[in-house]
Amino acid sequence: MSNVLTDTYGIAAALEQLGIREMNYGASTGVQNWITSGPRIDSYSPADGQLIGSVNQATADDYEKVMKAAEAAFPVWRMMPAPKRGEIVRQMGDELRSHKEALGKLVSYEMGKSLQEGLGEVQEMIDICDFAVGLSRQLYGLTMHSERPRHRMYEQWHPLGIVGIISAFNFPVAVWSWNSMIAWVCGDVCVWKPSSKTPLCAVACQNIITGVLRRNNVPEGVSGLLIGNPVGDLMNNDKRVPLISFTGSTRIGRIVAGATAQRFARSILELGGNNAIIVSQHADLNMVLVGSVFGAVGTAGQRCTTTRRLIVHESIYDKTLSVLKNAYGQLKIGNPLDSANHVGPLIDKKAVEDYLNAIAKAKTEGGKEVVEGGVLSGEGYESGCYVKPCIIEAKNEFHIVQEETFAPILYVMKYSTIEEAIAMQNGVPQGLSSSIFTTNMREMETFLSHEGSDCGIANVNIGTSGAEIGGAFGGEKETGGGRESGSDAWKVYMRRQTNTINYSTTLPLAQGIQFNF
C-alpha cells in the first residue's frame, strides 16, 4: 500500500515491521497461523478511507482447530511454575516495547484515535505485562484456623482452563492484554476474538508474541486467535470455555450473559458507560476544563469511559459553559497521525449516522445545541468519518441522554444541591465511571460514600476516562459488573479451592457432631 498519509507518517514501514501484508491469516494457535476459507474482511482506515489489509473470517472448522489446540496446551501450560509463566510474559512486554511505535501507529491508523493515544494504549499493554510478572509470584491463598484439633485449613487457587476474550474496536489491543497477560500467569490459555473492525491490530499482536512463544517452547494453543463475528457465538456456547471476557455493547452483553449463565460458566462483562462529571461551585475551573474536554472528545468520544454528561452547579453554569465553548472553538479535527490535531475520526460511517441521529433526537426532546455538531467534508476528510464535537443543553431524563452514543456529544445540565447532582449522576441505567470536581472535602466524601456515586469508578478532581492498570476496571448496573486488569481481578481467572488436612489419629466431625460406631 502507498498513499500520502502512509508515506508521510511511516505507516507502510510500520505495517512491514508488524508483518501486516496484503493478505493476513484469520486464525492462529500462537505458533501456527493459517489463511482461513471464510468470507474476506477488508480493513479500511477511518483516517483516510484507504484499504489497509484483509483477513479471511474463521470458519467453524478453524474454530475447532484452535479450540483443540487450546485444550491440548492447557494441561502442559498449567504445570509450568507461575514465575516461569511470568518470565514469558516479561519477554512479551519487551517485544511490545521494541514494537511500540509501529503498533501505536497501526492502532491510530486502523481505529482512528490520535497517535498519542495509540502509543498510550501500547504502553498500557507494557504496563500490564509488568504487573503480571509481579503477580506471578503473588497468587496467594489464605490459611484459616480449624475448629477441630490437629487440623489445618487453607485455600488455594487453580487455573480455570480456556479463557475466551472478545474485545471491541475502540481499544483494539489493550483490553486483550488486560485479560491475556493476567490469565496466562494464572495458568490459563487464551482464545481471542477481536473486533472485525480492527482485525489487523490483533494479527500484529499475535505476530509480536509469536517469537517469544517459540523461543520458550510454549505449547501451541496457549495463545489462540480467531477473527470473525460468528466465532463469538461459538465461543459463548462452548462448554470447553469456562470464562468469557466480553467488552462491547449492553445489547450484546445480555446475549453473552445469558449464554454463559445457561451453561454455568463465568463472564466478565465490560459494557456501556454513560459517565458524568459533577462540577461543584467549589471546583477549580482550569482543572474542569482539561478533564471534561479530554473526557468528552478524546478518542472522538469512543471510549466506554467518555464523559457524556456534565452536571454543573447553577451558580457557575454560565461561566463553565462559556469556558467550554471557547475551548471547543480551538479544537483541531483531522488526521489522527498528526500530533497537532486533538480529534480524529469515528470508526466508520455507521458511527457517523448514530452521531447524527442522537443530535436530532436530543433536539426533538427539547435539547439546544450550544456548540453545533456536523460532519466534515473536503480535503483531509475524504473518509466521511470526521465529525465536530458538540455540546447540547439537555435534561437528564431525556431518552437520548439515558442512552450511550459512541460519539463526541456532551450533554450539559444544572443542579442546585450536591444531593441533587449525585441523584442525576446515578439516574441512568449504566454505572461505569464518574467524577466530581470540587475543593470541598464534605462534597468529596459524600460523593465517595455509600450515598454517593453508584459507579465502579469514582474519581475526584480527575475526569472519567484514563483508568490506570493498577486498579480493577469495570462498572455496575448495565455496565455488567465485571472487573479486569489490576488489584485482585486475577481471581476471576482462577477457581478457589478450600483444603482441610487432618494430621491427628482420630476423625472428629465439624460442629461437634457425633457419629460413633
Side-chain angles (χ1 to χ4, degrees):
M1 61 179 297
S2 178
N3 58 50
V4 174
L5 194 59
T6 61
D7 291 343
T8 302
Y9 295 100
I11 292 296
L15 297 179
E16 184 70 22
Q17 181 182 342
L18 296 168
I20 303 297
R21 306 292 196 277
E22 183 177 349
M23 179 65 74
N24 285 282
Y25 55 84
S28 170
T29 51
V31 178
Q32 178 184 348
N33 311 317
W34 62 89
I35 302 297
T36 55
S37 58
R40 194 170 80 171
I41 299 173
D42 294 327
S43 179
Y44 291 91
S45 170
D48 60 3
Q50 296 293 313
L51 177 67
I52 309 172
S54 304
V55 299
N56 281 1
Q57 185 170 278
T59 65
D61 287 342
D62 299 319
Y63 177 83
E64 276 303 309
K65 290 179 184 177
V66 171
M67 295 306 295
K68 286 180 178 178
E71 280 189 290
F74 174 56
V76 180
W77 180 247
R78 70 182 175 188
M79 292 307 296
M80 184 180 293
K84 173 59 177 175
R85 297 192 297 259
E87 164 58 19
I88 293 170
V89 168
R90 185 197 64 77
Q91 294 174 35
M92 292 179 182
D94 286 345
E95 287 298 316
L96 287 167
R97 284 180 173 89
S98 66
H99 290 83
K100 178 178 177 179
E101 183 175 356
L103 184 57
K105 284 183 178 180
L106 176 58
V107 169
S108 177
Y109 190 55
E110 188 173 34
M111 186 268 149
K113 64 175 61 177
S114 71
L115 178 58
Q116 188 176 2
E117 290 183 84
L119 294 170
E121 184 170 346
V122 180
Q123 186 61 49
E124 280 193 39
M125 302 175 76
I126 295 167
D127 292 343
I128 201 68
C129 286
D130 290 346
F131 181 91
V133 173
L135 178 64
S136 69
R137 295 181 182 270
Q138 300 179 76
L139 301 173
Y140 300 139
L142 296 172
T143 60
M144 289 79 76
H145 290 283
S146 173
E147 64 187 52
R148 290 167 286 184
R150 292 190 172 89
H151 282 58
R152 181 166 69 88
M153 293 178 64
Y154 69 97
E155 68 177 24
Q156 59 179 328
W157 297 84
H158 299 293
L160 277 177
I162 301 173
V163 172
I165 303 167
I166 303 175
S167 61
F169 74 86
N170 60 326
F171 280 83
V173 295
V175 171
W176 165 72
S177 69
W178 289 0
N179 286 275
S180 60
M181 302 305 170
I182 302 297
W184 281 330
V185 298
C186 288
D188 300 313
V189 299
C190 299
V191 177
W192 181 20
K193 191 212 84 66
S195 170
S196 294
K197 295 182 180 182
T198 51
L200 300 181
C201 285
V203 170
C205 288
Q206 195 78 332
N207 288 346
I208 289 170
I209 68 170
T210 293
V212 174
L213 299 174
R214 287 175 175 161
R215 286 195 301 272
N216 289 275
N217 296 314
V218 172
E220 188 171 348
V222 167
S223 177
L225 174 66
L226 288 158
I227 295 174
N229 290 335
V231 171
D233 288 335
L234 294 173
M235 194 182 295
N236 290 334
N237 293 284
D238 194 333
K239 292 182 179 180
R240 295 171 293 185
V241 185
L243 172 64
I244 297 287
S245 177
F246 172 79
T247 303
S249 69
T250 298
R251 181 180 66 85
I252 301 299
R254 285 193 174 95
I255 297 172
V256 175
T260 51
Q262 193 71 24
R263 56 187 181 86
F264 298 106
R266 302 182 191 180
S267 61
I268 302 173
L269 300 176
E270 300 291 356
L271 311 177
N274 195 346
N275 317 294
I277 292 177
I278 297 173
V279 182
S280 163
Q281 70 268 40
H282 305 294
D284 181 330
L285 284 186
N286 291 325
M287 295 173 69
V288 170
L289 181 64
V290 175
S292 58
V293 174
F294 174 73
V297 309
T299 325
Q302 297 172 112
R303 292 184 176 215
C304 49
T305 55
T306 290
T307 304
R308 310 213 178 273
R309 297 175 294 141
L310 202 65
I311 303 169
V312 186
H313 191 270
E314 58 189 7
S315 67
I316 58 167
Y317 181 82
D318 291 339
K319 182 178 181 180
T320 303
L321 204 54
S322 175
V323 169
L324 284 173
K325 288 169 67 175
N326 180 62
Y328 269 55
Q330 300 176 54
L331 291 175
K332 294 181 180 179
I333 307 165
N335 166 21
L337 295 164
D338 186 340
S339 60
N341 293 324
H342 302 102
V343 185
L346 294 177
I347 185 65
D348 55 26
K349 291 183 179 179
K350 174 62 168 61
V352 173
E353 182 182 334
D354 291 342
Y355 158 86
L356 294 173
N357 288 340
I359 294 174
K361 288 179 181 178
K363 288 181 178 179
T364 299
E365 293 192 71
K368 175 187 175 184
E369 272 186 287
V370 293
V371 173
E372 292 189 2
V375 182
L376 296 169
S377 59
E379 186 177 353
Y381 305 124
E382 290 85 357
S383 70
C385 297
Y386 291 89
V387 302
K388 294 190 289 184
C390 71
I391 299 176
I392 300 176
E393 287 189 286
K395 293 183 179 180
N396 206 53
E397 58 266 26
F398 285 1
H399 292 296
I400 191 62
V401 175
Q402 294 284 309
E403 300 174 6
E404 179 189 45
T405 303
F406 238 45
I409 301 172
L410 178 64
Y411 301 110
V412 293
M413 54 203 76
K414 299 177 184 178
Y415 78 92
S416 299
T417 67
I418 186 63
E419 292 78 14
E420 179 189 4
I422 291 172
M424 293 169 68
Q425 134 70 40
N426 293 344
V428 293
Q430 308 84 359
L432 179 52
S433 186
S434 58
S435 172
I436 186 170
F437 278 82
T438 182
T439 57
N440 183 298
M441 183 173 290
R442 288 179 177 175
E443 290 184 334
M444 294 180 192
E445 293 296 336
T446 299
F447 180 73
L448 298 176
S449 73
H450 296 323
E451 59 185 329
S453 169
D454 65 359
C455 293
I457 299 169
N459 298 327
V460 176
N461 292 328
I462 63 171
T464 60
S465 61
E468 297 183 33
I469 61 97
F473 180 87
E476 302 299 326
K477 302 189 294 188
E478 289 191 3
T479 301
R483 294 295 187 275
E484 56 194 5
S485 190
S487 186
D488 65 348
W490 61 271
K491 293 179 178 178
V492 77
Y493 302 93
M494 305 191 81
R495 58 183 177 88
R496 187 194 307 249
Q497 185 180 77
T498 300
N499 307 112
T500 305
I501 299 173
N502 177 4
Y503 60 95
S504 73
T505 58
T506 61
L507 185 54
L509 303 179
Q511 291 85 45
I513 294 173
Q514 297 296 317
F515 197 74
N516 298 322
F517 293 98

